[in-house]
Amino acid sequence: MKKNQDSGPNSFEKSKMDAPKEIFLKDYKLPDYYFDTVDLSFSLGEEKTIVRANISVIPRVDGVTCPLVLDGVNLKLISVKINGNQLQEGDFELDSRHLILTSPPSVNFILETVTEILPQKNTSLEGLYMSSGNFCTQCEAEGFRKITFYQDRPDIMAKFTCRIEADKSLYPVLLSNGNLIEQGDLEGGKHFALWKDPFKKPSYLFALVAGQLESRDDTFTTCSGRKVDLRIWVPLVDLPKTEHAMYSLKAAMEWDVDVFGREYDLDVFNIVSVPDFLGAMENKSLNIFSSKLVLASPETATDADYAAILGVIGHEYFHNWTGNRVTCRDWFQLSLKEGLTVFRDQEFSSDMGSRTVKRIGDVSRLRTYQFSQDAGPMAHPVRPHSYIKMDNFYTATVYNKGAEVVRMYKTLLGSQGFRKGMDLYFERHDGQAVTCEDFFAAMRDANNADFANFLLWYSQAGTPSVNVTSSYNAEARTFSLKFSQTVLPTPGQPIKEPMSIPVAVGLVNSSGKDMPLSSIYHEGKLESVSSGGQLVYTTVLRVTKGEEEFVFSDVSEKPTPSLLRGYSAPIRLQSDLTDDDLFFLLAHDSDEFNRWEAGQILARKLMLHQVVNFQSDNPLVLDPQFVHGIKCIILDSSLDKEFIAKAITLPGEGEIMDMMEVADPDAVHAVRSFIKKQLAFELKQEFLNLVDENRSTEKYEFNDVNMARRALKNTVLGYLACLEDKETNELVLNEYKNATNMTDQFSALAAIAQKPGKARDEALANFYNQWQNDYLVVNKWFALQSSSDIPGNVENVRKLLSHQSFDLKNPDKAFSLIGGFRASLVNFHAKDGSGYKFLGELVVQLDKLNPQVASGMVSAFSRWKRFDETRQNLAKAQLEMIVSTNGLSEHVYEICSKSLAV
Ligand code: TRP
Ligand code: ZN
């Protein structure tokens, strides 16, 4: 596929429009036509569905005639009319992606189309398709064009009605966006429903569901007294598993009023759970979710599942304001809604549970997925400059780094300033499709803020590296922090500019207490830190230059600096803190995040050190000071137990590999396993005590105290299971047998499954027997096995592909088994190439069924250059094999070709 610079509806040429092309942000043009109202009518049939669309069209500039280009993919056009008159050949052109009306009226007109689509044949999970016998839709990003001909772009916002007609016994429930206006029976065993959405929306928020579903019903009264009907739709058998989802929805509705003053705006809010779905979708008043993000019971879902459901239900609900009421002008602005909404769901979950623990989880995710993306061939800015398939840009960068960018506004402006900015954003842009600059401008204008070069966070890819050196001058009682920053080149961006980086800093005195901060010299000026006589212990330094110094005055003793508190910017920080400083912060920092971080920095150093030992055939050793540090943490009863669980968890293998010149998965795996086992050995008694103290048979509850207890017990159990002795083996097995909820049962199973052997085989068989009829639990069982580090595991994974419970067409199953395999870095990067070969073959198979799922998998190859030559050649061979496959999707093509281009 060749790069095609030509884009935009004004410059169409038939031959060019037929070929796939790269789309550029700089080419954005206003649409030539707007749509005002859209009346859709569906006659649903599994094999064949007829879609009628009646659209009132308004030229952007009255009296100017230009072609109207409608998107359409896999559609059969039955008829097209303008103002009631059938168009003749010559009035329009049709290619595989468009319907082009060559010279439509230059004043308002009505466009009517009739198209035919084949839901049964649609395995892409995009457009209208069947999931377990029910009709459902997914339109983001560009799936509406698989339903009917349309200007399928988010700056086309229209008021929709949707009439659905279907067989009544097969599809008793008919849902779409907005309010139900009318319903009734029709001849031939059919019935219909008419839905009307009073809010203008882009086509990507359209949704339709039809099928045999039951609902859990509840109500929520908003702050202004509107009573909202809440319904969660699932197959009858799953109704008991919807309690937590309903709890989450109501909590989210309340939270958005409390924290952002945002009220729900319709009389009904529906959530539908379906087995075949990619994630979850915020369609106006009709959210659709993959079942695993809705269904939970104590016996079948883990604490992590409960937390994910809370977060995602919140996320999709919060989109109603950040995404739906105010949407994106074009898809390059995706982070405008996703970064902001991820930030909102993170804050929601923080307020519902432990803030520090949530932050640690979010930062770990950022480091694992976003940092590695930023360092590879797919690196792109939070607002990408170009794409071939937009679906490939629903990334950790757009979502998670985007959320960090929003968080930085809050860090810079404070809670109240941030809220003012949000209020102005909604005031200015409600009902509009806008850009990231509009969000920036609202934040700036509401606060009269000076945001020097902050917009670079949207346009410059790559993770900034910041280096800090400190010095204390006892005579002058000053403490200096010198910063320097660099951003490495990324594809298409060889030269980088310094970023604007908010660094939250506190100074800790020798007894471990925060010192009050008075003022700071910066660029020849003395600025007071405290405001209004209040003592201040943390201040935010704004680092905006390549090199910059900040000097704290009136510092009474040499402090230990606590840098980047709460992880105030998405950067890699290096400092001159010594190991002693870090152990001191681990023990004393008032910023809990930085306590955790100090431990992680120590662990990373320690692991890298041992990797060198391993590579030079020296014996591995564990620093006693580190063991002591861990011991202090687990014995500190003032700490949150879930925090302890996080603090004693070693950095992931990927994180360590990222810090190496040449990534060596075998060495990193050996070292991490060694340290884990050694810690278990040295702290065995403490760990055994922790298991005893934190075991409980009480009824499962999703709350902080209980979750923290389980997290600590199960983390420790994972350690103990590394030991070879009979006592611990029996203990772990008993934990498995006596578990009364999935969190405990699955953790114990995972602990047992670390070691190959009879106990493992029996436990896995036992677990499958117990849960074979619950596909969500079986997915966990698949993922546990596929992500296992046991040697040569690729063969087991291959066998599981033909397991009776597996189905490549279901994305959650595919991600569990095939996606899960990538999580074992030793096995995926096996030096014989068996892991690469396995994934390569499956990407090709998956691509034929579902390009979005396939491209999600293939990114595991992206960073092939990070490895030794043998691995490089093996991985490259797979990428080349995939790219040369006939009929490859643009999705997979885009990732593979960019990966090979480095
Ligand atoms: N807007 C969805 C979200 O909340 C993203 C999404 C869900 C999506 N399903 C999708 C995007 C399928 C592309 C394709 O994050
Ligand atoms: Zn989202």
Side-chain angles (χ1 to χ4, degrees):
M1 263 173 283
K2 247 181 61 202
K3 215 158 120 177
N4 185 346
Q5 300 277 346
D6 183 14
S7 82
N10 297 325
S11 53
F12 84 95
E13 263 176 54
K14 188 167 183 275
S15 58
K16 282 188 186 164
M17 295 211 65
D18 227 32
K21 61 187 170 195
E22 190 164 3
I23 317 276
F24 292 85
L25 168 60
K26 64 178 165 48
D27 293 336
Y28 174 81
K29 292 195 183 76
L30 288 174
D32 294 321
Y33 294 89
Y34 287 109
F35 292 170
D36 184 31
T37 58
V38 177
D39 299 311
L40 299 172
S41 168
F42 289 80
S43 179
L44 292 178
E46 302 195 7
E47 288 190 354
K48 191 194 286 182
T49 286
I50 301 292
V51 187
R52 289 162 211 280
N54 190 314
I55 305 174
S56 66
V57 184
I58 304 173
R60 181 165 53 84
V61 188
D62 235 5
V64 176
T65 298
C66 54
L68 169 55
V69 181
L70 303 166
D71 304 292
V73 171
N74 297 345
L75 302 176
K76 182 168 161 194
L77 180 67
I78 308 290
S79 76
V80 47
K81 289 181 190 170
I82 286 182
N83 292 331
N85 301 317
Q86 194 83 44
L87 293 197
Q88 304 302 318
E89 248 179 75
D91 296 339
F92 65 91
E93 289 175 34
L94 200 56
D95 66 31
S96 65
R97 292 154 192 273
H98 308 93
L99 168 62
I100 301 151
L101 310 184
T102 21
S103 49
S106 58
V107 291
N108 299 8
F109 62 93
I110 302 291
L111 171 68
E112 284 173 85
T113 59
V114 181
T115 47
E116 190 184 295
I117 50 180
L118 313 174
Q120 187 87 276
K121 289 226 168 88
N122 182 358
T123 62
S124 69
L125 308 189
E126 188 185 58
L128 178 71
Y129 66 96
M130 309 299 300
S131 175
S132 299
N134 294 332
F135 285 93
C136 94
T137 55
Q138 170 57 31
C139 296
E140 189 175 6
E142 299 182 328
F144 192 72
R145 62 190 62 188
K146 290 186 169 181
I147 294 176
T148 191
F149 290 103
Y150 203 79
Q151 292 191 94
D152 192 10
R153 43 188 284 174
D155 55 355
I156 298 295
M157 295 177 81
K159 286 191 181 165
F160 281 66
T161 66
C162 178
R163 186 182 186 280
I164 312 168
E165 195 179 302
D167 184 282
K168 190 173 180 177
S169 59
L170 288 173
Y171 309 107
V173 175
L174 306 175
L175 304 171
S176 189
N177 316 90
N179 300 311
L180 181 63
I181 298 297
E182 207 187 326
Q183 60 181 326
D185 290 340
L186 299 165
E187 277 172 28
K190 292 188 172 186
H191 71 150
F192 79 97
L194 176 63
W195 292 84
K196 183 179 171 123
D197 184 350
F199 289 93
K200 291 199 295 178
K201 68 167 173 288
S203 52
Y204 82 86
L205 291 174
F206 170 80
L208 175 159
V209 171
Q212 290 179 351
L213 299 161
E214 300 291 332
S215 63
R216 172 184 290 266
D217 296 359
D218 210 326
T219 60
F220 181 86
T221 306
T222 70
C223 51
S224 71
R226 176 204 296 279
K227 194 166 146 250
V228 184
D229 287 321
L230 312 177
R231 297 206 171 86
I232 299 181
W233 297 91
V234 295
L236 179 63
V237 289
D238 290 328
L239 267 187
K241 289 190 183 177
T242 54
E243 191 183 332
H244 177 64
M246 186 61 87
Y247 156 81
S248 303
L249 175 60
K250 292 169 83 172
M253 294 180 85
E254 203 161 304
W255 184 87
D256 212 12
V257 170
D258 289 350
V259 178
F260 286 98
R262 295 293 131 191
E263 189 183 345
Y264 186 62
D265 54 13
L266 279 164
D267 301 331
V268 38
F269 191 85
N270 287 308
I271 289 177
V272 182
S273 140
V274 296
D276 308 278
F277 201 83
L278 289 165
M281 183 62 210
E282 71 265 24
N283 317 301
K284 186 80 187 186
S285 75
L286 179 51
N287 288 2
I288 305 181
F289 282 62
S290 160
S291 313
K292 76 162 185 187
L293 294 168
V294 174
L295 304 178
S297 71
E299 297 72 35
T300 61
T302 62
D303 287 335
D305 296 327
Y306 273 78
I309 290 168
L310 178 77
V312 180
I313 295 248
H315 180 98
E316 305 310 332
Y317 174 75
F318 300 140
H319 268 313
N320 192 53
W321 276 97
T322 51
N324 301 5
R325 297 279 297 238
V326 184
T327 195
C328 304
R329 184 193 72 171
D330 56 74
W331 288 120
F332 295 104
Q333 319 298 329
L334 181 62
S335 198
L336 173 83
K337 75 175 176 83
E338 294 304 345
L340 178 54
T341 306
V342 170
F343 169 77
R344 276 152 56 70
D345 85 53
Q346 289 177 348
E347 286 298 290
F348 168 58
S349 295
S350 300
D351 287 344
M352 301 294 290
S354 156
R355 180 164 282 270
T356 303
V357 168
K358 174 69 179 149
R359 187 72 185 132
I360 291 170
D362 291 336
V363 172
S364 300
R365 245 184 308 282
L366 186 82
R367 285 184 173 141
T368 307
Y369 301 106
Q370 202 280 324
F371 280 21
S372 57
Q373 179 164 63
D374 242 350
M378 278 298 289
H380 55 274
V382 165
R383 177 168 57 191
H385 299 295
S386 76
Y387 60 79
I388 294 177
K389 280 312 285 187
M390 187 54 212
D391 298 326
N392 285 335
F393 288 83
Y394 285 74
T395 60
T397 300
V398 169
Y399 275 63
N400 302 84
K401 187 175 180 179
E404 295 301 322
V405 172
V406 174
R407 187 173 296 280
M408 286 191 284
Y409 287 110
K410 189 176 173 195
T411 301
L412 290 165
L413 298 170
S415 285
Q416 285 177 9
F418 182 72
R419 172 65 192 270
K420 273 200 249 165
M422 289 298 294
D423 288 348
L424 184 61
Y425 173 66
F426 292 125
E427 192 184 310
R428 283 182 177 171
H429 300 300
D430 190 11
Q432 298 176 6
V434 303
T435 66
C436 297
E437 273 94 2
D438 292 320
F439 185 79
F440 169 86
M443 286 291 155
R444 181 195 58 203
D445 298 349
N447 294 282
N448 286 318
D450 167 23
F451 275 147
N453 64 4
F454 191 82
L455 281 171
L456 273 176
W457 283 109
Y458 293 100
S459 58
Q460 195 163 271
T463 308
S465 282
V466 176
N467 201 54
V468 192
T469 52
S470 58
S471 59
Y472 181 64
N473 182 332
E475 222 166 284
R477 291 162 51 100
T478 58
F479 182 70
S480 148
L481 291 175
K482 276 191 187 148
F483 292 84
S484 64
Q485 55 159 311
T486 50
V487 186
L488 291 176
T490 52
Q493 289 188 333
I495 294 162
K496 306 282 187 179
E497 285 168 47
M499 312 280 287
S500 172
I501 301 172
V503 181
V505 177
L507 304 181
V508 185
N509 72 15
S510 52
S511 50
K513 296 274 176 297
D514 277 343
M515 303 164 80
L517 308 174
S518 61
S519 45
I520 297 172
Y521 290 103
H522 177 234
E523 317 228 290
K525 270 186 275 176
L526 184 67
E527 284 161 31
S528 173
V529 171
S530 59
S531 61
Q534 284 270 324
L535 291 180
V536 171
Y537 298 96
T538 299
T539 189
V540 178
L541 306 177
R542 299 183 183 205
V543 177
T544 59
K545 301 198 169 57
E547 305 212 349
E548 210 162 350
E549 183 179 23
F550 295 82
V551 181
F552 292 81
S553 64
D554 281 330
V555 183
S556 55
E557 58 167 299
K558 181 174 184 292
T560 307
S562 168
L563 303 164
L564 207 69
R565 281 187 158 172
Y567 199 65
S568 60
I571 60 169
R572 294 182 200 264
L573 184 81
Q574 254 132 36
S575 75
D576 57 359
L577 289 178
T578 63
D579 284 4
D580 284 343
D581 293 335
L582 290 165
F583 278 114
F584 181 75
L585 291 174
L586 175 64
H588 299 293
D589 201 329
S590 68
D591 187 77
E592 272 198 28
F593 178 86
N594 265 4
R595 278 186 83 167
W596 172 79
E597 182 78 319
Q600 294 290 301
I601 297 171
L602 285 164
R604 288 197 287 261
K605 280 194 187 180
L606 183 106
M607 288 166 79
L608 276 174
H609 218 89
Q610 296 309 311
V611 164
V612 176
N613 271 346
F614 182 89
Q615 289 176 327
S616 37
D617 282 331
N618 290 330
L620 301 182
V621 286
L622 182 58
D623 176 5
Q625 204 188 353
F626 186 77
V627 181
H628 178 75
I630 297 280
K631 187 168 168 176
C632 291
I633 290 281
I634 59 176
L635 296 179
D636 185 343
S637 58
S638 73
L639 287 170
D640 172 0
K641 288 180 174 174
E642 201 169 356
F643 174 84
I644 299 176
K646 296 274 187 207
I648 65 173
T649 300
L650 297 169
E653 292 174 8
E655 224 179 284
I656 305 303
M657 276 158 62
D658 263 4
M659 299 172 76
M660 300 174 69
E661 200 66 47
V662 176
D664 182 344
D666 296 323
V668 173
H669 181 66
V671 164
R672 195 172 188 276
S673 307
F674 164 80
I675 297 177
K676 246 187 109 177
K677 192 165 172 180
Q678 200 60 26
L679 278 172
F681 181 76
E682 302 210 22
L683 298 173
K684 180 174 164 187
Q685 197 48 53
E686 288 79 2
F687 284 167
L688 286 171
N689 295 344
L690 283 177
V691 173
D692 273 343
E693 289 159 20
N694 291 290
R695 185 189 291 116
S696 153
T697 51
E698 74 203 12
K699 195 170 156 283
Y700 176 92
E701 264 187 86
F702 176 74
N703 67 31
D704 254 18
V705 176
N706 290 323
M707 281 168 62
R709 182 174 54 63
R710 287 188 287 268
L712 181 54
K713 187 205 75 179
N714 290 326
T715 303
V716 165
L717 205 62
Y719 272 104
L720 288 169
C722 302
L723 299 173
E724 306 289 345
D725 61 88
K726 197 158 157 257
E727 184 191 6
T728 49
N729 284 348
E730 269 169 21
L731 170 79
V732 181
L733 204 58
N734 278 331
E735 292 302 314
Y736 174 76
K737 286 184 185 148
N738 299 332
T740 57
N741 59 65
M742 184 51 72
T743 307
D744 289 334
Q745 189 185 10
F746 196 71
S747 300
L749 180 68
I752 297 167
Q754 290 181 83
K755 277 183 296 198
K758 192 159 151 269
R760 180 184 201 266
D761 297 346
E762 282 174 7
L764 285 169
N766 173 281
F767 188 84
Y768 179 75
N769 258 345
Q770 186 183 351
W771 295 112
Q772 54 186 309
N773 295 320
D774 190 312
Y775 65 96
L776 293 177
V777 180
V778 173
N779 282 352
K780 295 180 195 302
W781 181 80
F782 279 131
L784 175 62
Q785 292 176 81
S786 65
S787 62
S788 170
D789 290 326
I790 60 170
N793 191 42
V794 68
E795 284 315 312
N796 299 329
V797 183
R798 274 191 195 276
K799 277 193 209 116
L800 287 169
L801 285 174
S802 40
H803 192 278
Q804 58 184 26
S805 297
F806 186 68
D807 176 6
L808 200 59
K809 287 207 265 317
N810 177 280
D812 288 335
K813 290 185 187 186
F815 275 115
S816 296
L817 188 57
I818 300 152
F821 176 68
R822 302 170 311 172
S824 169
L825 300 180
V826 265
N827 282 322
F828 176 60
H829 296 288
K831 203 142 188 173
D832 62 1
S834 56
Y836 297 154
K837 188 155 176 291
F838 170 76
L839 192 70
E841 286 167 19
L842 273 133
V843 165
V844 171
Q845 279 185 48
L846 271 169
D847 193 44
K848 297 189 177 27
L849 294 169
N850 190 321
Q852 290 188 42
V853 174
S855 76
M857 303 276 180
V858 80
S859 52
F861 285 117
S862 288
R863 299 191 66 205
W864 59 283
K865 283 255 162 135
R866 298 272 305 114
F867 295 86
D868 55 88
E869 214 183 307
T870 312
R871 287 187 172 92
Q872 282 193 18
N873 289 332
L874 290 164
K876 185 165 177 242
Q878 289 304 315
L879 282 169
E880 283 167 345
M881 180 279 289
I882 297 168
V883 171
S884 64
T885 303
N886 273 338
L888 191 72
S889 68
E890 293 169 85
H891 294 82
V892 172
Y893 172 81
E894 178 168 31
I895 310 264
C896 286
S897 57
K898 287 182 179 171
S899 301
L900 283 167
V902 289

